[in-house]
Amino acid sequence: MSAHESASTPPGRAYRWWGVGAIACLVLAGVGVLGAIATAFSSGPGSLRVIGIIAVFALIPVGILGALYCGHKRYRAWFTNAHVSEGLIEEVAEVRRTNDDGSTSYYFMLTVSAAVEGGLAIRRHCTMGGDQPRPEIGQTLRFRHTTLDPDDLEDALFDSIREHQRGTG
């Protein structure tokens, strides 16, 4: 293993279980779609129509929302056993998007560099929600990462941010 390589940290049991949950939710949504299709092409009794309505308004949305939630939790679980580093913010980009209801939401894309074990310097891109104050260049960002590879820019999960303490003299 070279100085730029590091074994990835094992993701742990939670990562696997959130994956199973996501798959189960997608299967639930698929059953809802099949139930809706079967009901649409059936001229059966009224109880079959009720099953179709339940499939459309319950199984499909619950399955899709559950899969999204489990996918998000699985992504966060990937970083449970990860390295924790602090580095200085080098770049801040604000990304704005207009929602369907006309409101504007935004988030920040940050580029951070940090010194890690072995004297290596790594760079990472982190995403930070727009509900927090705008970060500034020079602030210290704490983040999690699974490798020490300096070229793996996307291997980062935002943890916290604080003002950079500058020397007074």
Side-chain angles (χ1 to χ4, degrees), residues 2 33 46 67 100 128 140 153-155 163:
S2 74
V33 169
D100 293 337
M128 189 173 115
T140 300
L153 295 174
E154 303 305 318
D155 175 41
E163 283 293 324

Side-chain angles (χ1 to χ4, degrees), residues 102-124:
S103 65
T104 301
S105 64
Y106 60 96
Y107 58 94
F108 302 106
M109 294 291 294
L110 310 173
T111 301
V112 62
S113 64
V116 293
E117 57 195 57
L120 295 174
I122 62 171
R123 289 183 54 150
R124 295 293 190 262

Side-chain angles (χ1 to χ4, degrees), residues 33-103:
V33 169
L34 291 175
I37 290 172
T39 303
F41 294 109
S42 172
S43 59
S47 62
L48 193 56
R49 299 240 182 250
V50 170
I51 292 172
I53 290 171
I54 290 171
V56 170
F57 292 108
L59 294 180
I60 296 171
V62 167
I64 291 172
L65 292 174
L68 290 172
Y69 176 77
C70 289
H72 173 72
K73 295 296 272 185
R74 184 173 196 237
Y75 175 75
R76 293 188 63 82
W78 177 261
F79 293 94
T80 300
N81 299 328
H83 305 279
V84 178
S85 295
E86 286 189 354
L88 294 180
I89 297 173
E90 295 178 342
E91 291 180 44
V92 177
E94 185 174 313
V95 179
R96 293 180 181 266
R97 64 180 163 211
T98 305
N99 300 326
D100 293 337
D101 62 357
S103 65

